[in-house]
Amino acid sequence: PVQKKFFDWMLALARFLLKKHGRPDLPNMISEWGYPSGVGAWEGSLLASSVMPIGIEAIPEPRQAQMLNVCLEMFARYDVGPVCLMTRDIEAEPAAGNPGFWGFHCGIIRADETQKPSYKTVKAWGQHVKDKSKKSKPKR
């Protein structure tokens, strides 16, 4: 709920600023976004971040799928695109005092190539995306 309100505020502000400055036609693009998930030792760990000094908590995989769905719903409402997703986690051993980089754990597929619950979320959303590369025939 808090993340949904935050994204709603950010996207509404972005649309407002684009309109205010005469460019409401420009698209919003999402980058540096995701929810790290983990099993075993990673779940609940604070993962390293270059921006957040306290780190970013790895959430359970079902929660990652839920948050991904909430965000994709919000992005669709604001016509955000493109949205870049990390496909596969990166296997990284934690360094001493560093539990790993959060971005390595945002994939929809685990490092061992098995699917996370978020894979099904993305697949379901993908079935609703129109192929914009196919141009419709002009009406005469």
Side-chain angles (χ1 to χ4, degrees):
V2 172
Q3 289 93 345
K4 185 175 180 179
K5 288 179 183 180
F6 178 68
F7 275 118
D8 189 44
W9 173 80
M10 278 192 346
L11 292 169
L13 179 61
R15 298 303 322 152
F16 169 78
L17 290 172
L18 287 171
K19 186 175 180 180
K20 178 181 176 182
H21 293 283
R23 291 306 310 262
D25 57 315
L26 292 177
N28 284 323
M29 180 181 157
I30 303 296
S31 164
E32 303 294 324
W33 160 83
Y35 294 92
S37 66
V39 294
W42 288 117
E43 190 173 324
S45 296
L46 287 177
L47 304 175
S49 168
S50 301
V51 178
M52 302 295 290
I54 62 169
I56 297 175
E57 183 178 354
I59 59 177
E61 289 181 354
R63 179 82 173 130
Q64 179 196 39
Q66 180 185 25
M67 292 306 303
L68 182 60
N69 189 58
V70 165
C71 288
L72 291 174
E73 189 175 272
M74 179 83 54
F75 299 162
R77 186 161 25 113
Y78 281 94
D79 196 25
V80 171
V83 175
C84 302
L85 294 173
M86 184 169 193
T87 307
R88 182 181 173 274
D89 284 354
I90 298 172
E91 190 71 52
E93 290 297 320
N98 182 353
F101 178 63
W102 73 277
F104 292 168
H105 307 281
C106 291
I108 59 174
I109 298 172
R110 297 178 197 93
D112 67 2
E113 302 292 329
T114 57
Q115 297 173 3
K116 293 182 181 181
S118 55
Y119 181 91
K120 289 180 183 177
T121 301
V122 172
K123 186 175 180 180
W125 273 94
Q127 294 173 352
H128 302 291
V129 175
K130 294 179 183 175
D131 185 354
K132 293 181 180 180
S133 66
K134 295 180 183 177
K135 296 182 180 181
S136 61
K137 293 181 182 178
K139 296 179 182 177
R140 296 179 189 222

